[in-house]
Amino acid sequence: CWHDTHPLGESDPPPDAGRFTTITVSGPGTSESYQSNTCRVANPGQNFRLPTPGQYTVTVTVAQPGHPDITEQITVTINPFN
């Protein structure tokens, strides 16, 4: 997240006002999204139940008013459990 450069005053919006984090997981048999109205680093994360082994693409986008969206993407391979 982008952070304000001035101390939080009474007239300032809450630190997460208008900020959203969207996580999308897509792969064999699924395409799920989760949206949070926070982008704090302390967020413990989100779990997704993946139906089958295979390659999945995880996309995370952080949106904040007045700043460009930040998007990162990674492909992971889930192997069968033996």
Side-chain angles (χ1 to χ4, degrees), residues 22-47:
T22 304
I23 304 168
T24 303
V25 176
S26 57
T30 193
S31 181
E32 291 188 48
S33 288
Y34 169 81
Q35 188 174 67
S36 171
N37 64 349
T38 184
C39 58
R40 292 177 185 247
V41 177
N43 185 335
Q46 175 64 33
N47 294 318

Side-chain angles (χ1 to χ4, degrees), residues 51-76:
T52 60
Q55 283 197 326
Y56 291 85
T57 301
V58 180
T59 306
V60 178
T61 300
V62 177
Q64 178 173 301
H67 298 283
D69 289 356
I70 300 170
T71 299
E72 292 292 331
Q73 190 174 68
I74 188 170
T75 300
V76 296

